Structure formats: structure tokens, C-alpha cells
């Protein structure tokens, strides 16, 4: 177990309410009458008693968060792929929890096929050249394409960008237990939107559920010991090309601004159609975005299959175990310490990271560093 001291503050953007939005292909993304609903709800619940109850609830939640953030904490990180919003995209949710199943930090992003004038995930050109993805299409992160995607949403009346909506949902999750988050996720779409200040997405409940599922997944992972105010930690995820041109990597890092407290790696590759694809894989093929012969799959979710392919090339360690080993090496080290590996050759890095055998270990560590920054 490792102990660290915090040096930076968590900054999560929470924006004002908007009314409606749509996806890159015109699909509605937010509640069409969210702003009106919120205004009516405010007027209808304007009694002093209702206002007092709401203030008391928020105060109690804040006090509990403050108590939980202090002292020795056992932190775990988890990540899941979900389908929070329709069938044209898939959601990646990451969550860090403490020993009381309270969410310390969360991060959301969503991936959708966009026209190829937008920014695709790393190796997008290679995916088209290999015949996995249709010509004229790229799989893009909604956060990376925030301006473009938000413009599509604005055509339906939205005034809150997609990234700001995600940030608002994350901010709501932080400090709440898994049980509390699931309770809100179980409400009606309108009630969930009203509960999350700053969020206007009609599928707010779906995004909360993805975070709750990521938090439950974290319970199965190894903990690190952390002393300090956990509410000041920052969680972020990025996409990278850590390993060749047939896949793209996602790397998440929880940091205090100086050190990596926790990290998480996964990688996505097009696999045979009989393997497990990300949510909505069938819809992607039906829409003609990808070849029906393939699915985009997480290497962690397809660990046995992918590790079998590695074994044929002489590998003795499974891909998930390799990712875990790299994470364990990175966790607790300063960003500066991890950056010193950038100038070393592959064998020197493997000699240092004894818990991993991947030739591209340096690429995965570099991705974690990028996320931490």
C-alpha cells in the first residue's frame, strides 16, 4: 500500500441548464423541454419547506463527503463500457471508490462514428485501410469532438456542450455512494435531470448507471492506500496509440497533480464478429459504419481470446495481467519519475517494469503520463 500527499485541487466544470440537443446524425441527445421542466419544477416546489429539505440533503451529503475524504483511504479504480445513450454510440465510464463504496471521482466519455472530417481515435486511417471501418467514417470521442458534437446538439436547442454535461454528471457522482447513485439512476429521466445540477441530457440516468457500474467493477480491483483529502484528486482518461496501428488505447489516471495515485489501461481492437464487441456493435454494423465481419472489442473483456492469440506468438502472460502489472508499476510514482522511462529502450523498460512483458510497455506508461497531465 502506498501513501501520498495531495498538492492540487479538483476542478470539475458544471454548466448552466439547456433545453435540447442532438447527436452527430440529428438524434436527440437532451430533454427537449429540460429548461422549461426545470423552471416549472422550481416554481412548483418553491415552498420554504421543500427548499429547506433540499438544502438539508445537500448539506448532509457535503458533510459526509468531507468526512470520507480525510485520513487513510483505500482507493480502487474500475472501468466499464456501456450504452447510456441510444444505439449509435458506446459509453466508457471510469470510477474511483473508497473503502465505503463512496465515489471519489468519475469520468465519462462516449464514442460515435462521425464523418471523417472530424477527429477520430488514434489509428482511424488504418482502420479504414484495413476494411474495418467504412470509408468516410471515423470513430470519434465526443469530448475530443466537443465543439462539433455540441453544434449538432445546439440545432435541437441545447445551450450546454456535451463535455460540460458529462462534467456535471461526474460532479454529481463524486461524494455519493454506489447505492445513492443507483437510486438516482433508477428515477424517471425527468427526475434524474432535475437531480443533477447543470446536466440537461435526457439520458442523464443512463450515464449515472454507467458510473455506478464502473464503481462496482472497481470493488474487484486491488486497492492503494492514500492519506489526504481525496476530494482534491483529479481523474482523466485519454486515447492513445500505445501498440501498433491495429488498435487504440484508453488510459485513465487519478492524480494529485504530482503523482499518479491510480491508473487504468484498456485497449480496443477489431476482432472476429463472434467475439464480444462494445455495446451497440450490431447497430454499428447495421448502419454500415463497420464491416459485419468484425466487432470493436475491449481487450480486457476479450482477455481469454486475445491472450490466446498472444500465446501463439510465445507470450506467457495474459493481456489483462500485463495491463494490471503496468498500472501497479505506475501507481504511486510521480509523473516526473515515469517520464524518465521515455528515453530508455524496450528491454531497459521491461527490466524496470518487472510485472509486465509487453514490448510496448513504454507506450502504455506514456499514455498514463499523458492522462495524468
Amino acid at each position: 500500500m502506498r501513501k501520498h500527499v495531495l498538492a492540487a485541487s479538483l476542478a470539475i466544470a458544471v454548466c448552466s441548464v439547456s433545453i435540447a440537443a442532438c447527436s452527430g446524425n440529428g438524434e436527440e441527445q437532451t430533454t427537449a423541454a429540460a429548461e422549461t421542466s426545470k423552471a416549472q419544477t422550481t416554481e412548483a416546489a418553491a415552498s420554504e419547506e421543500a427548499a429547506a429539505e433540499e438544502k438539508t440533503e445537500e448539506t448532509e451529503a457535503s458533510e459526509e463527503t468531507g468526512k470520507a475524504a480525510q485520513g487513510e483511504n483505500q482507493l480502487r479504480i474500475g472501468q466499464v463500457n456501456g450504452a447510456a445513450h441510444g444505439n449509435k454510440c458506446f459509453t466508457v465510464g471510469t470510477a474511483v471508490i473508497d473503502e465505503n463504496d463512496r465515489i471519489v471521482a468519475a469520468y465519462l466519455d462516449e464514442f460515435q462514428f462521425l464523418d471523417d472530417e472530424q477527429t477520430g481515435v488514434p489509428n482511424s486511417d488504418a482502420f479504414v485501410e484495413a476494411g474495418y471501418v467504412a470509408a468516410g467514417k471515423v470513430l470519434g470521442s465526443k469530448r475530443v469532438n466537443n465543439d462539433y458534437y455540441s453544434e449538432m446538439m445546439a440545432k435541437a436547442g441545447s445551450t450546454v456542450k456535451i463535455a460540460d454535461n458529462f462534467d456535471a454528471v461526474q460532479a454529481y457522482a463524486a461524494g455519493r455512494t454506489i447505492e445513492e447513485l443507483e437510486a438516482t439512476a433508477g428515477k424517471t429521466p425527468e427526475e434524474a435531470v432535475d437531480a443533477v445540477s447543470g446536466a440537461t441530457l435526457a439520458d442523464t440516468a443512463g450515464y449515472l448507471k454507467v458510473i455506478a457500474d464502473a464503481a462496482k467493477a472497481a470493488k474487484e480491483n486491488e486497492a492503494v492506500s492514500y492519506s489526504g483529502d481525496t476530494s482534491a484528486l483529479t481523474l482523466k482518461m485519454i486515447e492513445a496509440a500505445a501498440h501498433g496501428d491495429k488498435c487504440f488505447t484508453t488510459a485513465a489516471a487519478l492524480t494529485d497533480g504530482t503523482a499518479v495515485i491510480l491508473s487504468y489501461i484498456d485497449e480496443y481492437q477489431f476482432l472476429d464478429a463472434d467475439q464480444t464487441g462494445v455495446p451497440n456493435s450490431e447497430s454499428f454494423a447495421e448502419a454500415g459504419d463497420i464491416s459485419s465481419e468484425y466487432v470493436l472489442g475491449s481487450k480486457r473483456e476479450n482477455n481469454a481470446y486475445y491472450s490466446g492469440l498472444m500465446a501463439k506468438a510465445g507470450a506467457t502472460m495474459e493481456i489483462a495481467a500485463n495491463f494490471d502489472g503496468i498500472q501497479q508499476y505506475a501507481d504511486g510514482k510521480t509523473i516526473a519519475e515515469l517520464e524518465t522511462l521515455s528515453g530508455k529502450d524496450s528491454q531497459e523498460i521491461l527490466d524496470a517494469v518487472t510485472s509486465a512483458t509487453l514490448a510496448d510497455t513504454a507506450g502504455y506508461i506514456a499514455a498514463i503520463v499523458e492522462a495524468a497531465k
Side-chain angles (χ1 to χ4, degrees):
M1 300 296 181
R2 307 179 181 87
K3 297 183 180 180
H4 318 286
V5 179
L6 291 174
S9 298
L10 175 64
I12 300 179
V14 178
C15 292
S16 60
V17 176
S18 76
I19 55 175
C22 63
S23 71
N25 55 19
E27 178 189 4
E28 290 192 357
Q29 170 83 3
T30 65
T31 305
E35 185 172 298
T36 301
S37 173
K38 284 179 177 283
Q40 291 174 342
T41 299
T42 301
E43 292 172 2
S47 67
E48 293 183 2
E49 181 178 357
E53 290 178 355
E54 182 178 355
K55 184 174 181 180
T56 298
E57 180 181 348
E58 292 298 325
T59 299
E60 291 176 350
S62 178
E63 290 176 350
E64 288 300 316
T65 301
K67 293 176 182 177
Q70 301 301 320
E72 190 79 7
N73 294 276
Q74 302 303 310
L75 305 182
R76 292 175 168 84
I77 190 170
Q79 189 176 94
V80 298
N81 302 310
H85 170 59
N87 64 359
K88 300 184 185 300
C89 53
F90 71 95
T91 315
V92 178
T94 312
V96 174
I97 60 171
D98 65 13
E99 65 278 8
N100 298 312
D101 289 349
R102 189 173 299 277
I103 295 160
V104 171
Y107 194 87
L108 289 167
D109 201 353
E110 202 156 54
F111 296 85
Q112 182 164 319
F113 286 94
L114 309 171
D115 66 74
D116 62 3
E117 293 182 357
Q118 311 314 315
T119 304
V121 296
N123 291 323
S124 286
D125 289 344
F127 298 157
V128 174
E129 291 171 3
Y132 303 136
V133 176
K137 294 285 187 177
V138 293
L139 178 67
S141 152
K142 289 184 180 179
R143 281 189 176 273
V144 172
N145 293 279
N146 182 42
D147 289 340
Y148 168 77
Y149 192 83
S150 298
E151 286 177 6
M152 298 300 100
M153 293 169 61
K155 291 179 181 179
S158 177
T159 58
V160 178
K161 291 186 175 183
I162 187 65
D164 294 331
N165 264 289
F166 287 164
D167 288 346
V169 176
Q170 294 164 191
Y172 178 85
R176 286 178 166 80
T177 64
I178 296 174
E179 183 178 1
E180 290 170 338
L181 207 59
E182 288 185 314
T184 305
K187 295 180 181 292
T188 66
E190 293 78 11
E191 289 173 331
V193 172
D194 287 340
V196 181
S197 176
T200 63
L201 300 177
D203 291 315
T204 291
Y207 294 110
L208 290 173
K209 183 180 184 305
V210 169
I211 292 175
D213 289 344
K216 287 190 284 189
K219 296 176 67 173
E220 305 302 318
N221 295 330
E222 184 178 347
V224 299
S225 182
Y226 187 85
S227 297
D229 180 4
T230 57
S231 67
L233 297 174
T234 301
L235 177 64
K236 185 181 177 184
M237 185 189 79
I238 57 94
E239 298 83 53
H243 170 59
D245 63 357
K246 298 182 183 302
C247 54
F248 72 94
T249 312
T250 58
L254 180 75
T255 177
D256 62 1
T258 300
V260 173
I261 312 305
L262 275 170
S263 57
Y264 195 91
I265 301 167
D266 199 357
E267 203 155 53
Y268 297 83
Q269 183 163 322
F270 286 93
L271 309 172
D272 294 338
D274 57 353
Q275 303 308 316
T276 302
V278 296
N280 292 322
S281 286
E282 291 184 1
S283 295
F284 300 157
E286 291 172 359
D289 294 324
I290 65 173
S291 168
S292 60
E293 298 179 6
Y294 301 99
V295 292
L296 179 68
S298 152
K299 289 186 181 179
R300 281 190 177 274
E301 291 184 359
N302 293 277
N303 178 53
Y305 170 77
Y306 191 82
S307 298
L309 298 179
M310 292 171 58
K312 293 179 181 179
T316 57
M317 182 181 293
E318 293 187 343
I319 189 66
N322 265 289
F323 288 164
D324 289 344
I326 294 169
Q327 292 165 193
Q328 290 164 8
Y329 176 83
D331 296 348
K333 289 184 173 59
T334 65
I335 295 172
E337 287 176 321
L338 294 175
E339 286 183 312
T340 61
L341 294 179
S342 63
K344 297 183 178 180
D345 62 34
S346 177
Q347 188 55 53
E348 288 178 312
I349 292 172
L350 287 175
D351 289 341
V353 188
T354 56
S355 52
T357 61
L358 298 176
D360 289 317
T361 293
Y364 295 110
I365 292 178
I368 291 173
V369 169
E370 183 181 348
K373 288 181 173 180

